[in-house]
Amino acid sequence: MTSLLYTTVILCIAACAGSLPAPSRIFMSARVGSSAVLPCDCRNVSSQSPHVVWRTISETVFERRGGDLYQGEGYEGRVDVPEDHLLKGDCSLELKNVRLEDARVYESFLLVRRTKRSLRTKRVFIQSVELSVDGKTE
């Protein structure tokens, strides 16, 4: 009886977990030396002064809040989310001079204040993009 109950619980957990929506992921490719635009649309997230962050599993690649920006190690001078685009709700990451080591999963987030008066922020997931890189140069 215990074995049957245990099996039923496991099946229920598996069925419930399988019905949860997975984050959307966009798959794209680029050639070494080319440019790529990793898409991101944040028009549905309200923020007076957008603060966008692009990350991989292990590091921050790019961060922008107004005129202030951060470009991660190895990405200096190669990544941007133009401020004028961000203010219009386009948080797409522009990646120039693509390298083989750029092949990975990138995720974009907006940091938004929890309340208008709060200094604390929450991270809102926007998009996941998996970039593959072709070793042939353009």
Side-chain angles (χ1 to χ4, degrees), residues 43-55:
R43 286 178 285 186
N44 295 335
V45 180
S46 69
S47 181
Q48 302 262 340
S49 58
H51 184 170
V52 67
V53 177
W54 277 90
R55 291 190 49 82

Side-chain angles (χ1 to χ4, degrees), residues 59-84:
E59 65 185 330
T60 298
V61 172
F62 181 84
E63 189 169 345
R64 174 182 291 282
R65 181 173 185 182
D68 297 330
L69 62 89
Y70 167 80
Q71 297 175 327
E73 186 177 335
Y75 293 94
E76 299 95 337
R78 300 192 310 121
V79 289
D80 193 17
V81 175
E83 185 177 6
D84 59 324

Side-chain angles (χ1 to χ4, degrees), residues 94 108 118 120:
E94 298 176 358
S108 59
S118 174
R120 294 178 48 159

Side-chain angles (χ1 to χ4, degrees), residues 91-117:
C91 51
S92 300
L93 181 71
E94 298 176 358
L95 174 60
K96 298 175 186 164
N97 191 21
V98 172
R99 302 174 182 169
L100 279 173
E101 57 267 27
D102 292 333
R104 59 186 66 199
V105 174
Y106 296 84
E107 293 183 332
S108 59
F109 300 88
L110 273 187
L111 298 180
V112 295
R113 280 199 236 164
R114 294 186 183 273
T115 64
K116 288 184 179 183
R117 294 183 179 181

Side-chain angles (χ1 to χ4, degrees), residues 6 12 27 32 34 50 52 59 64 71 74 80 98 104 106 109 123 127 129 133 136:
Y6 179 73
C12 181
F27 297 89
V32 168
S34 70
V52 67
E59 65 185 330
R64 174 182 291 282
Q71 297 175 327
D80 193 17
V98 172
R104 59 186 66 199
Y106 296 84
F109 300 88
R123 193 168 72 165
Q127 185 65 58
V129 179
V133 177
K136 298 175 186 171

